[in-house]
Amino acid sequence: MMGTQILNPNVSTNLVDVGSSVASVQIDQQLWHDPVDNPQLCLFTQMGNNRPWWNVFGADRGSHKHQGVDLLAIPETQAYACVSGTVVRSELATSIYGHVVTIRADSPDFVRSLKTDYKLAYPEHGELEAGKGWSDQGHFYFFYAHLLERSVKVGDPVTPKTPIGLTGTSSYGKSKDPHLHFEILCVERTTGTNMRVNPARYMKFKMPNQLTAEEIEYQKWVASKFWIGMKTK
């Protein structure tokens, strides 16, 4: 199953290939690759509620604000390095994130050049442009969480499209919204939304109003069952 979304046999088998990566349309693919192919915001929650705002950066989840974005990715979907950089973290975290990888970008100038004019889609639900202390004048760090397994180690150099692991549900178990939790930070580690930025400011992924009818049906199918992809080592 590696690198391929599992498809509903009743839905067109090319639906996960609809268009290429949204972010790669106007960006040199030798310099950038999306963290997963055809990235799109999860429409559903872990228990299958249709609540896309739950999955954006800063979303108010009661006890905390969401620290990244959740991009649809059934277990064993390939995750990629977005830019050239160095792996600075690769471990089974003791936090809620399970298997994680962090990459420090080699060229902050290039990442700065990606900045979009994204307008907040769900400010009424707490979505933020950036957390306290965010600065784009230093390093950029790309954080991947809930992986099933990691294929890079600390110190490894990566380039765009380098496989860094397979997506999973590590740390949160079975879910109707299997996803890659993805963050962009200006430091390697921090708490809350501090020193983080809304990833939509630097990459493009499909929001609910940008999904095709087939992609919406696919997300509904994914949310019709529980998925699990976990390893403990």
Side-chain angles (χ1 to χ4, degrees):
M1 300 297 181
M2 185 175 68
T4 304
Q5 300 271 19
I6 299 173
L7 302 181
N8 181 346
N10 297 317
V11 177
S12 171
T13 58
N14 68 351
L15 61 87
V16 292
D17 296 319
V18 174
S20 58
S21 161
V22 176
S24 297
V25 173
Q26 296 180 331
I27 297 173
D28 187 337
Q29 294 186 35
Q30 294 183 342
L31 300 177
W32 170 271
H33 194 282
D34 294 317
V36 290
D37 290 320
N38 192 26
Q40 48 193 273
L41 186 73
C42 283
L43 297 181
F44 296 90
T45 66
Q46 185 174 353
M47 297 306 296
N49 299 309
N50 191 335
R51 195 184 297 167
W53 62 264
W54 186 260
N55 300 311
V56 299
F57 177 74
D60 187 352
R61 292 187 168 185
S63 62
H64 69 284
K65 295 183 74 66
H66 193 220
Q67 297 172 196
V69 293
D70 290 344
L71 303 175
L72 182 71
I74 64 171
E76 298 189 38
T77 295
Q78 186 69 68
Y80 305 99
C82 295
V83 297
S84 293
T86 303
V87 177
V88 295
R89 183 181 183 189
S90 178
E91 65 183 13
L92 177 58
T94 57
S95 65
I96 62 172
Y97 288 124
H99 286 280
V100 303
V101 169
T102 301
I103 296 168
R104 183 181 63 233
D106 284 344
S107 176
D109 286 340
F110 171 68
V111 181
R112 279 190 286 269
S113 76
L114 300 176
K115 194 170 182 179
T116 72
D117 59 356
Y118 175 76
K119 301 296 188 295
L120 298 181
Y122 299 103
E124 70 277 15
H125 292 294
E127 186 183 14
L128 299 172
E129 289 191 4
K132 183 178 180 181
W134 165 257
S135 171
D136 66 357
Q137 296 307 300
H139 287 293
F140 287 82
Y141 295 83
F142 296 82
F143 176 74
Y144 305 70
H146 304 313
L147 298 173
L148 170 65
E149 61 184 40
R150 296 166 279 118
S151 53
V152 291
K153 62 184 183 300
V154 172
D156 282 352
V158 295
T159 57
K161 205 176 180 179
T162 296
I164 59 96
L166 299 178
T167 66
T169 64
S170 58
S171 83
Y172 67 95
K174 67 179 183 178
S175 175
K176 290 192 171 188
D177 76 329
H179 60 268
L180 173 70
H181 176 88
F182 182 73
E183 301 179 7
I184 301 178
L185 308 89
C186 61
V187 293
E188 182 181 333
R189 305 189 193 202
T190 184
T191 58
T193 57
N194 297 322
M195 299 184 184
R196 291 171 167 84
V197 68
N198 192 326
R201 297 300 305 275
Y202 291 90
M203 66 169 288
K204 295 180 181 178
F205 52 87
K206 291 182 181 178
M207 297 296 284
N209 64 348
Q210 297 170 319
L211 296 173
T212 67
E214 286 182 312
E215 289 167 335
I216 292 171
E217 287 304 308
Y218 179 63
Q219 289 222 30
K220 288 179 179 177
W221 174 72
V222 171
S224 71
K225 60 180 291 185
F226 280 105
W227 302 79
I228 188 164
M230 296 181 64
K231 289 185 179 179
T232 57
K233 295 182 179 180

